[in-house]
Amino acid sequence: MHHEDQRPDSFLERIRGPELIEVSSRQSNIRSFLGIREHPGGVNSKKEEKKEVKEEKKEEKKEEKKEEKKDDKKDDKKKEEKKKEIFVIDPSSNIYYNWLTIIAAPVFYNWCMLVCRACFDELQVDHVKLWLFLDYISDVIYVLDMFVRFRTGFLEQGLLVQDEKKLRDHYTKTLQFKLDVLSLLPTDLAYLKLGLNYPELRFNRLLRISRLFEFFDRTETRTNYPNMFRIGNLVLYILIIIHWNACIYFAISKLIGFGTDSWVYPNVSIPEYGRLSRKYIYSLYWSTLTLTTIGETPPPVKDEEYLFVVIDFLVGVLIFATIVGNVGSMISNMNASRAEFQAKVDSIKQYMHFRKVTKDLEARVIKWFDYLWTNKKTVDEKEVLKNLPDKLKAEIAINVHLDTLKKVRIFQDCEAGLLIELVLKLKPTVFSPGDYICKKGDIGREMYIIKEGKLAVVADDGITQFVVLSDGSYFGEISILNIKGSKSGNRRTANIRSIGYSDLFCLSKDDLMEALTEYPEAKKALEEKGRQILMKDNLIDEEAAKAGADPKDLEEKIERLETALDTLQTRFARLLAEYTSSQQKVKQRLASVETRVKKYGSGTLSTGETEAEKPEEEKKQ
């Protein structure tokens, strides 16, 4: 009986197959997890359910552990990424420039002393310890320079790269890396076999010369006297070439034999020519005469001497040409501003002479130009700053003029944006002694801020002085606001005259109104401040202020609308012209297509297209 009872189960298992068995086991697991009992009376079913619950809990714990491990791995990756962001030197920073100053010293030392020590034996033999010390100090700096290059950042999409791998790859892929490696090859290990008197073994150290050129370039951009630096740099290059040529001349003389002919260096057995200083100075003198093409040196005798002198003369011609060209351009650049200023003065002198201007007025004009040049006020700020972006222009203007603008009462509490707009519109002007800045009754179109100098508020006779205005004072701010009800309107109420030479900042009415169009609240606040100032001085008519809009204001608004309408009309005309031209092009294309269809027919066009597509399919295959 027991055997027969088990048969149906095996039969059902055979029919069900593995997939149905898994589905049924999953259903039983779900039921056991939810606490549903199919056989409440059976003890075996309870045990099975408990086991299944335990197994499910174990699986859940395993999954939680796996998730924790994944989170730990993510955290480790983040830490590794943070570690990769190492200390990077910005090429535009002072640290990088200071390091260039340090590395330039051993490079310059090697270029000057190695050739000299290789050619003049006494110089190498008498100071071996000093040269070894300096050589290996320079080698240490060379090694440190390679580490600095590995940590020197570069810009990628406008940001400084701080990833170690990218920095390493960027440096190792350059030609400079190969030259740096070659410059550090331990070629001086040959000292062990040949001896210490062969400094030419270290000539590979000269390959680091790019650092010296980079130092010169950075210094030229940083110095306030670039023309003087360029001249000094050119002289240094010439001296180094003459120095190398002198050493090579002495080495050739040693190779041929001292005193064997009139061209080579005299016999060193003579005490006068045996001294080290005489050897170097004589060689330097010969090299200077040859390279500057002055001549007056003994003529060559042997073929190799002739060849060396020919090469020297060619190099000398090139040096002379570079000296004349570079020095001439540098001097012209140094005097470029003076020449431009003098050209303006000469043109004005010619004009005054042609128009027969009085001598007194001509003298005043020339004195005014002299004052501008001697006080360095000939610079046109807009012309100088035109190549800068608007952001940098604004920052320079804020740095130079903002404190001056804040001294004006009506602008003290204005928005920062409006002040920046106004700062960019300030124009420096210079007045000569006795010049009237404004006269009583004139229409006020500008306001003035005194930067330097003294102005006097004078009577109608121009002599009696009421008040003297000095640095930081301002006037004319009320007249450019067009405040309604002002008794004086927009006219000047006083005569102001320059006592000496005066340097003022001018802000025009048009510039102020243009800036205020974008700041309507600031405009209301300025008008309110101006109204309060006029009320204190009893210079406002309250009835006129309460009345309607001033017809002059309406006229100005109408003029602005007319100008805006003109600009819109011109833009519309341009767009219309572009539209008509594009329409004509489309018509021409359609006409050409129609002629082709009529000539060849649609069938030939389609066959042509299929033939054109066939080679493309063959290429893909």
Side-chain angles (χ1 to χ4, degrees):
M1 281 296 285
H2 192 67
H3 182 68
E4 288 175 359
D5 292 336
Q6 287 179 352
R7 269 187 186 176
D9 295 333
S10 60
F11 178 74
L12 286 170
E13 285 173 3
R14 289 175 189 172
I15 294 170
R16 284 177 180 175
E19 293 178 358
L20 292 172
I21 292 166
E22 286 178 9
V23 172
S24 62
S25 62
R26 284 176 188 172
Q27 289 177 354
S28 63
N29 288 334
I30 292 164
R31 287 174 183 172
S32 62
F33 180 74
L34 295 172
I36 300 167
R37 298 178 183 178
E38 292 179 355
H39 304 284
V43 178
N44 293 328
S45 62
K46 289 180 181 179
K47 289 179 180 179
E48 289 175 359
E49 287 174 1
K50 287 179 181 179
K51 285 180 182 179
E52 289 171 356
V53 170
K54 286 179 181 179
E55 288 175 358
E56 287 173 359
K57 286 180 179 179
K58 286 179 181 179
E59 288 176 358
E60 288 176 359
K61 287 179 180 179
K62 287 179 181 178
E63 288 177 357
E64 288 176 356
K65 287 179 180 179
K66 286 180 181 178
E67 288 177 357
E68 288 175 358
K69 286 180 180 179
K70 287 180 182 179
D71 294 334
D72 292 336
K73 286 180 181 178
K74 287 180 181 178
D75 294 334
D76 293 336
K77 285 181 181 178
K78 287 180 181 179
K79 288 178 181 178
E80 286 177 0
E81 287 176 358
K82 287 180 180 178
K83 285 179 182 178
K84 284 181 182 178
E85 292 182 359
I86 53 170
F87 175 72
V88 176
I89 300 172
D90 188 355
S92 61
S93 64
N94 289 327
I95 297 171
Y96 187 76
Y97 178 72
N98 294 334
W99 175 253
L100 285 178
T101 308
I102 294 168
I103 186 62
V107 175
F108 188 73
Y109 157 76
N110 285 323
W111 269 89
C112 289
M113 298 310 300
L114 282 179
V115 65
C116 197
R117 287 159 51 193
C119 297
F120 297 94
D121 296 333
E122 296 96 327
L123 185 64
Q124 173 67 19
V125 173
D126 295 343
H127 308 284
V128 174
K129 292 181 180 178
L130 176 63
W131 301 132
L132 289 174
F133 175 74
L134 292 175
D135 286 346
Y136 293 115
I137 286 291
S138 66
D139 287 350
V140 170
I141 296 173
Y142 275 25
V143 173
L144 292 174
D145 183 55
M146 287 199 71
F147 285 110
V148 170
R149 281 191 182 273
F150 275 117
R151 292 291 182 268
T152 302
F154 64 94
L155 294 178
E156 189 177 65
Q157 295 182 355
L159 298 173
L160 191 68
V161 175
Q162 295 185 345
D163 185 27
E164 185 179 4
K165 187 177 181 300
K166 283 185 178 180
L167 293 175
R168 186 172 60 250
D169 293 341
H170 182 262
Y171 175 46
T172 53
K173 288 177 182 177
T174 59
L175 175 64
Q176 189 58 47
F177 172 72
K178 297 173 184 176
L179 295 176
D180 290 348
V181 171
L182 289 174
S183 68
L184 280 174
L185 290 177
T187 52
D188 45 0
L189 289 176
Y191 284 165
L192 300 172
K193 186 177 181 181
L194 301 174
L196 297 174
N197 296 327
Y198 292 92
E200 55 268 26
L201 294 171
R202 293 178 54 84
F203 273 9
N204 60 326
R205 269 60 173 179
L206 304 178
L207 296 173
R208 200 66 72 97
I209 193 172
S210 62
R211 279 305 210 188
L212 190 64
F213 291 147
E214 189 177 359
F215 169 70
F216 288 151
D217 291 340
R218 299 271 177 166
T219 306
E220 186 178 340
T221 56
R222 285 171 174 253
T223 184
N224 293 325
Y225 305 98
N227 290 315
M228 294 297 294
F229 180 79
R230 290 188 195 110
I231 292 171
N233 203 6
L234 180 64
V235 171
L236 180 65
Y237 289 153
I238 293 166
L239 289 175
I240 290 174
I241 292 169
I242 292 172
H243 167 77
W244 269 72
N245 193 56
C247 295
I248 294 169
Y249 164 75
F250 188 82
I252 291 172
S253 298
K254 183 167 60 175
L255 188 65
I256 295 170
F258 296 122
T260 54
D261 56 45
S262 60
W263 183 83
V264 297
Y265 185 80
N267 197 344
V268 293
S269 60
I270 302 170
E272 185 182 354
Y273 295 103
R275 291 181 291 112
L276 176 63
S277 58
R278 174 54 67 91
K279 290 177 182 178
Y280 179 72
I281 291 169
Y282 183 93
S283 302
L284 192 69
Y285 172 75
W286 183 93
S287 177
T288 305
L289 290 177
T290 306
L291 290 179
T292 54
T293 64
I294 293 171
E296 297 183 5
T297 57
V301 178
K302 298 180 179 179
D303 292 343
E304 53 268 25
E305 294 172 1
Y306 275 106
L307 183 62
F308 180 68
V309 171
V310 167
I311 293 169
D312 261 15
F313 277 136
L314 291 174
V315 174
V317 169
L318 292 173
I319 290 173
F320 186 73
T322 54
I323 290 171
V324 172
N326 283 305
V327 172
S329 63
M330 288 172 191
I331 291 169
S332 62
N333 288 332
M334 289 171 72
N335 297 323
S337 57
R338 176 66 184 175
E340 186 180 354
F341 179 75
Q342 193 62 43
K344 292 179 182 178
V345 176
D346 292 340
S347 62
I348 289 171
K349 282 181 180 178
Q350 289 174 3
Y351 175 80
M352 290 190 294
H353 180 70
F354 176 71
R355 294 297 180 185
K356 296 179 181 180
V357 177
T358 59
K359 294 292 181 182
D360 183 28
L361 182 57
E362 188 176 347
R364 283 177 59 195
V365 170
I366 292 168
K367 283 181 181 178
W368 183 77
F369 274 112
D370 289 338
Y371 170 78
L372 290 181
W373 179 255
T374 53
N375 290 276
K376 297 179 180 178
K377 293 180 180 178
T378 59
V379 177
D380 186 0
E381 291 186 0
K382 286 188 176 179
E383 188 67 22
V384 171
L385 302 177
K386 68 179 182 180
N387 295 321
L388 291 176
D390 293 337
K391 182 68 176 174
L392 288 177
K393 277 185 192 175
E395 287 186 13
I396 290 172
I398 289 164
N399 197 359
V400 175
H401 304 313
L402 187 61
D403 293 335
T404 305
L405 191 64
K406 282 183 176 178
K407 291 176 183 177
V408 183
R409 282 182 297 175
I410 59 173
F411 297 133
Q412 284 175 355
D413 299 325
C414 286
E415 297 179 35
L418 177 61
L419 289 175
I420 292 167
E421 288 281 338
L422 295 177
V423 157
L424 291 169
K425 297 179 186 300
L426 286 177
K427 297 174 184 176
T429 53
V430 178
F431 290 92
S432 302
D435 287 348
Y436 277 97
I437 287 86
C438 62
K439 287 187 177 182
K440 192 174 182 180
D442 291 346
I443 296 171
R445 294 188 178 88
E446 305 94 6
M447 69 163 291
Y448 295 95
I449 305 167
I450 304 172
K451 182 187 177 185
E452 187 180 359
K454 289 187 178 181
L455 307 178
V457 180
V458 296
D460 293 336
D461 58 2
I463 299 169
T464 308
Q465 295 183 2
F466 299 119
V467 181
V468 175
L469 304 174
S470 58
D471 302 353
S473 301
Y474 55 90
F475 56 91
E477 73 276 11
I478 303 299
S479 60
I480 64 172
L481 287 173
N482 271 349
I483 296 169
K484 296 174 188 176
S486 176
K487 292 179 180 179
S488 58
N490 60 349
R491 296 186 178 274
R492 303 294 188 188
T493 57
N495 301 313
I496 299 177
R497 195 174 188 181
S498 177
I499 298 172
Y501 285 101
S502 303
D503 191 3
L504 280 68
F505 286 118
C506 172
L507 179 65
S508 67
K509 180 181 177 180
D510 294 334
D511 290 337
L512 177 63
M513 292 303 168
E514 185 182 349
L516 288 175
T517 52
E518 297 177 2
Y519 298 93
E521 294 179 359
K523 184 179 180 181
K524 292 178 183 177
L526 287 174
E527 288 177 352
E528 185 61 32
K529 283 183 182 179
R531 197 175 290 109
Q532 289 174 4
I533 292 167
L534 290 173
M535 286 177 71
K536 284 181 182 178
D537 299 334
N538 197 19
L539 293 173
I540 192 167
D541 187 358
E542 294 183 1
E543 292 181 0
K546 291 177 182 177
D550 192 357
K552 292 180 180 178
D553 293 340
L554 291 173
E555 287 177 2
E556 288 180 358
K557 288 180 180 178
I558 290 165
E559 287 177 358
R560 288 176 189 169
L561 286 171
E562 285 177 353
T563 54
L565 186 62
D566 290 337
T567 54
L568 286 172
Q569 284 177 349
T570 53
R571 288 178 183 176
F572 179 73
R574 287 175 186 172
L575 290 171
L576 189 63
E578 289 176 359
Y579 173 74
T580 53
S581 63
S582 61
Q583 200 172 15
Q584 287 176 357
K585 288 178 182 178
V586 170
K587 286 179 179 178
Q588 289 174 359
R589 288 177 183 174
L590 288 172
S592 63
V593 170
E594 286 177 358
T595 53
R596 285 181 183 178
V597 169
K598 288 177 181 178
K599 191 174 182 180
Y600 300 107
S602 60
T604 55
L605 287 173
S606 62
T607 54
E609 289 175 358
T610 53
E611 287 176 358
E613 288 175 359
K614 280 181 182 179
E616 292 181 358
E617 291 177 356
E618 290 175 358
K619 287 179 182 177
K620 289 178 181 178
Q621 289 174 0

